[in-house]
Amino acid sequence: MSNKIDPKKYFEDGKLDLSMMQLKYDNVPVKEIAAIPKLFSVDLSNNCLVSLGKNFAPSLTHLVKLDLSKNQLTALPDNFGLLCNLKHLDLENNRITALPLSFGKLKHLRWLDLKNNPLLPKLAELAGPCNDSAQCSAAAKSVVQMLALMQDQVEVEKKRRLEEMKLEEEEKKALAAKEQQEQSQAKKRNKKKKKQDRIIEYENGSAVTEDADKCLLEGDEQEDVPADDSKDSNLTQKSSSRTCSSIKFLFTSIVIFACIMFFLLFILHLLDEETYSIVIKELTKRYRKVAGYFPKPWSKKLNRYYLMTLRYGTKLSKQGVEMAIRGFEQVQDFQVWLNSDETVQSYFDMVRSWWQMVYIKVSEMYRTVTV
């Protein structure tokens, strides 16, 4: 029978007989059966049913008797336990090997026939031969109790696995938190070690600016070292005082060297302008070579300041010479007296010889430096 049938035609006194209708899985009228009022017994025996479908049990929870014998059922749906009012179940002559765990919820089941099914050994032993009503009643009781116990064990196992999964997640979180804490502690230790290394470098005479030293030490003290650490504060004071003294010494040396160089260049300009221009050219070349190691913005500024210093220094020296010449012109009488007096001439000769000696020494130093 390929078309769906009308179950109401086969309903009488609360019983529905659909046996030998050649029903299959796709044409069992579950909705029509569920719509019949006062239905408590359904006979679906001697058909070609392979499966009942998921909607069978939820739609027919009011059934008391169900006959599924002589079909081709291989298994019952997992939600078969929703037939909570079922008292009589006939599954004879099918292909069932096992029953779903929800079968243990059929607490009102009093009759069960599982003859002629390829049941698992344990299930076949509990089901028995079911040759009379007493054996079928015992089979119903034994099978329901066994499946109920198995369902309880499965629920316990599920809870145990859920608890294990929760414990594993908590352990992972705790391990991650511990690793994060260890990483933060390692970072703090590294910072403290770097600070101690910098303090040791300061004690050995490494020169840094006073402002940078203060900022560095204050930042490290705020992050890692308590404010009342007397030992670290003493080390900081010592290192800052040594830094200040080294900076002062360096600055004083640079100023003195610059004064000496300008004085010697001025004297050289008065004595020999050609040699002076050669020296200035060489100094400029070497200065630009050294300034090339600095960043471009700094090197440009240093070159500009250097050229300004040379330009204004040369200009001032020329102006000084011109003023001196004008002064000598205004005191020509005094110059005549100086030229005519033998004592003064002797002093001039002595000074001239002294300046020539200084010039020779300076030129020798210059050659040594350039070589």
Side-chain angles (χ1 to χ4, degrees), residues 83-109:
L83 299 173
C84 55
N85 295 312
L86 197 62
K87 294 182 179 180
H88 186 283
L89 179 61
D90 191 351
L91 294 171
E92 182 186 357
N93 287 322
N94 278 283
R95 300 177 182 178
I96 297 173
T97 58
L99 297 174
L101 292 177
S102 63
F103 201 92
K105 295 180 180 180
L106 302 179
K107 304 297 183 182
H108 298 287
L109 190 65

Side-chain angles (χ1 to χ4, degrees), residues 5-23:
I5 62 175
D6 186 7
K8 293 181 180 180
K9 295 180 180 180
Y10 306 96
F11 175 71
E12 184 179 358
D13 296 333
K15 298 180 181 180
L16 179 63
D17 187 2
L18 296 178
S19 60
M20 294 184 291
M21 293 288 183
Q22 295 182 357
L23 294 176

Side-chain angles (χ1 to χ4, degrees), residues 101 146-160:
L101 292 177
M146 183 194 73
L147 291 172
L149 180 62
M150 291 177 64
Q151 188 177 21
D152 292 339
Q153 291 177 353
V154 170
E155 293 294 332
V156 171
E157 184 65 20
K158 285 182 179 179
K159 290 181 180 179
R160 186 184 67 81

Side-chain angles (χ1 to χ4, degrees), residues 298-324:
W298 292 11
S299 62
K300 289 180 179 179
K301 290 183 180 180
L302 292 173
N303 288 329
R304 187 168 64 253
Y305 294 152
Y306 175 75
L307 294 174
M308 287 174 62
T309 304
L310 291 179
R311 188 184 304 116
Y312 288 112
T314 305
K315 186 176 180 181
L316 289 174
S317 63
K318 289 182 178 179
Q319 290 179 357
V321 173
E322 291 176 355
M323 289 176 63

Side-chain angles (χ1 to χ4, degrees), residues 288-300:
R288 288 178 178 175
K289 185 176 180 181
V290 173
Y293 293 105
F294 291 92
K296 289 185 178 180
W298 292 11
S299 62
K300 289 180 179 179

